[in-house]
Amino acid sequence: GAVVSQHPSWVICKSGTSVKIECRSLDFQATTMFWYRQFPKQSLMLMATSNEGSKATYEQGVEKDKFLINHASLTLSTLTVTSAHPEDSSFYICSASLAGGPDTQYFGPGTRLTVL
Amino acid sequence: GQNIDQPTEMTATEGAIVQINCTYQTSGFNGLFWYQQHAGEAPTFLSYNVLDGLEEKGRFSSFLSRSKGYSYLLLKELQMKDSASYLCAVTGSTLGRLYFGRGTQLTVWP
């Protein structure tokens, strides 16, 4: 089946630094990737939709200058949390979608970000 | 807008049957998904319904009524490993874009 990887699986950083999270589709080409954030005991909240070769579409309330998304190829999307603060500490999950079909959104294993 | 509602918590005993309900209101509808998520892990796909009726897959079944904006996930012969959060998600007018409910935390007791 389709496999999506994320790197790193966890990261601890100091407040004010930037952190980059990678999302890769390992055995398929993903025209669309999605970035979610999940706080403890909360559901997944979509942050942005990333399409290869074009600008990401951000959900209302998500700062595009703080959460930079780059989808440079059909197998890689990156999320950079700039000037991270403790309130950005969360579980970040990406998913990749094939074009068309029902169950075509495959989730990565997630990245646990802790900002000190 | 999108609104997906499901109970916050449920408990059941090993070997029992449990039904997790989900109601939704969305602009556009292209299918409803159920995912299982263990703590600290990413969601894993359980089922997909786009037409009314029941879809059975082993111990898990999922039902959809589009006219009522209602779905349920039925888990039979519960096992301890079924303790997890179950997420109901709906695809709206944009294929692939999922709107998630808050999740139902199921605890299975021995």
Side-chain angles (χ1 to χ4, degrees), chain A residues 34 38 43 46 59 102 105 108, chain B residues 33 37 42 48 96-97 101-102:
Chain A
F34 301 87
Q38 186 177 34
S43 190
L46 180 65
E59 294 299 302
Q105 191 164 154
Chain B
F33 295 79
Q37 186 180 27
Y48 170 75
R97 193 195 186 287
R102 294 173 63 89

Side-chain angles (χ1 to χ4, degrees), chain A residues 96-108:
Chain A
S97 178
L98 293 164
D103 54 336
T104 54
Q105 191 164 154
Y106 305 97
F107 285 87

